[in-house]
Amino acid sequence: MNADDRNILARGRVATRLPAQDLERARRFYAEQLGLEPVDERPGGLLYRCGGTDFALFKSAGASPGTFTQMGWEVDDIETVVSELRERGVVFEEVDLPGLRTKDGIADIDGNYPSKGARGERAAWFRDSEGNMLGIGEPVV
């Protein structure tokens, strides 16, 4: 067995699944606040595509705890993205923890993503209408 045979998942595409207690409320949030429309839908689910990857919202009786980042976008200009999303009504988290502090909703994190040639990352977090914690990151080179 060679390395490719052992790494069968490495050849697959990753797709995130996020729970939504109210799928229509979530659809409105993703459309109005994030500017995203589903590329496909089925009863109980909405499929979105961003940058060649997929994520889905699915109707769920359970709720996300919203205590950790469940999905994130990597962007080239975090300040512009945060500003535009704020104009659409997105509320960004303010964090004040040892080693992690936001200023105007954006944190500077040293040491993230050395594999991308970065010395760190700038990051921001917000919750969707269903309580899912979503992140935005910009590698700092």
Side-chain angles (χ1 to χ4, degrees):
M1 181 179 284
N2 64 36
D4 286 338
D5 292 336
R6 286 191 303 271
N7 294 320
I8 60 173
L9 290 179
R11 294 188 303 265
R13 292 180 60 216
V14 174
T16 300
R17 306 289 186 251
L18 298 172
Q21 290 186 320
D22 184 328
L23 205 53
E24 287 308 309
R25 176 178 62 202
R27 178 197 300 264
R28 285 190 307 276
F29 176 87
Y30 280 78
E32 295 168 9
Q33 270 72 38
L34 305 185
L36 300 173
E37 295 293 338
V39 296
D40 196 7
E41 56 186 279
R42 62 173 174 75
L46 302 170
L47 181 68
Y48 293 84
R49 188 160 291 134
C50 296
T53 59
D54 297 340
F55 73 93
L57 297 174
F58 66 94
K59 182 145 181 64
S60 174
S64 168
T67 57
F68 55 87
T69 307
Q70 294 165 261
M71 182 176 75
W73 287 268
E74 185 176 302
V75 299
D76 294 328
D77 183 351
I78 194 168
E79 289 185 8
T80 298
V81 172
V82 166
S83 176
E84 185 175 318
L85 292 177
R86 274 196 175 125
E87 287 177 15
R88 296 180 189 176
V90 173
V91 176
F92 285 87
E93 298 290 306
E94 291 296 337
V95 179
D96 189 1
L97 299 169
L100 183 64
R101 178 169 291 125
T102 56
K103 181 178 179 190
D104 296 325
I106 300 174
D108 292 309
I109 307 167
D110 291 331
N112 276 11
Y113 303 116
S115 62
K116 293 184 177 187
R119 62 178 168 76
E121 175 187 28
R122 302 191 75 212
W125 299 268
F126 63 93
R127 287 183 173 81
D128 70 6
S129 61
E130 307 310 296
N132 296 304
M133 180 72 74
L134 307 175
I136 301 169
E138 174 190 350
V140 177
V141 289

